[in-house]
Amino acid sequence: MSNERPINPRFDEDVHFNLVKAGPPRYRNHTDKPVRYFTVVDKQDGAVLGYVWANDEDDAAAWEPREAAGPRAFSEGGIWFARLEGAKGRGILPSQALAELLANPEGNRGRVVPGSLADAPNAAAVEALAKGD
């Protein structure tokens, strides 16, 4: 008799894993290349809540909440993030998504400032703007 234990038949075959991407498609959330962005303000008091930026070359776009606006900026970001996610799901370029958002400028608590579309050297510049007072 052998001291070896019999192989459990459940473990007798090779195991295969399928790589599955989690969640819906999303734009990249950072780029070192130039971006276009616009400002979103609170509908009631006009305080800046954050910025939406985009760059086609790196397929990147994101909501950047303004730190000084606190929780209002983060909660408002949900709608802008969802709208960007929907645009990516439809396969459109970030600049096209930005144009769509500008054409429909109302969020939950915020709205786009008319004429606020501007250029920045990269996403970090918009992030720095959001961290400023």
Side-chain angles (χ1 to χ4, degrees):
M1 252 198 182
S2 167
N3 287 341
E4 292 183 32
R5 299 175 77 179
I7 295 175
N8 185 331
R10 293 184 320 186
F11 302 118
D12 194 19
E13 297 177 18
D14 289 337
V15 177
H16 297 276
F17 295 96
N18 292 324
L19 179 62
V20 178
K21 279 189 160 183
R26 295 186 177 144
Y27 296 116
R28 291 182 57 201
N29 63 5
H30 184 76
T31 182
D32 290 327
K33 296 182 174 71
V35 299
R36 301 214 70 198
Y37 71 95
F38 59 76
T39 305
V40 176
V41 296
D42 191 291
K43 289 178 186 178
Q44 292 183 345
D45 64 11
V48 175
L49 296 175
Y51 308 90
V52 179
W53 61 262
N55 167 280
D56 287 348
E57 192 174 348
D58 283 342
D59 195 39
W63 161 259
E64 193 63 53
R66 184 166 175 255
E67 283 188 14
R72 288 185 310 165
F74 288 98
S75 66
E76 177 64 16
I79 187 70
W80 299 100
F81 178 79
R83 291 170 72 186
L84 287 170
E85 192 175 79
K88 176 63 176 175
R90 293 191 321 273
I92 66 172
L93 292 171
S95 62
Q96 294 170 317
L98 209 62
E100 279 186 5
L101 297 179
L102 285 168
N104 184 8
E106 297 290 319
N108 288 336
R109 293 182 181 175
R111 63 176 172 75
V112 175
V113 174
S116 67
L117 186 62
D119 297 313
N122 52 41
V126 179
E127 183 179 336
L129 183 63
K131 286 184 180 183
D133 292 323

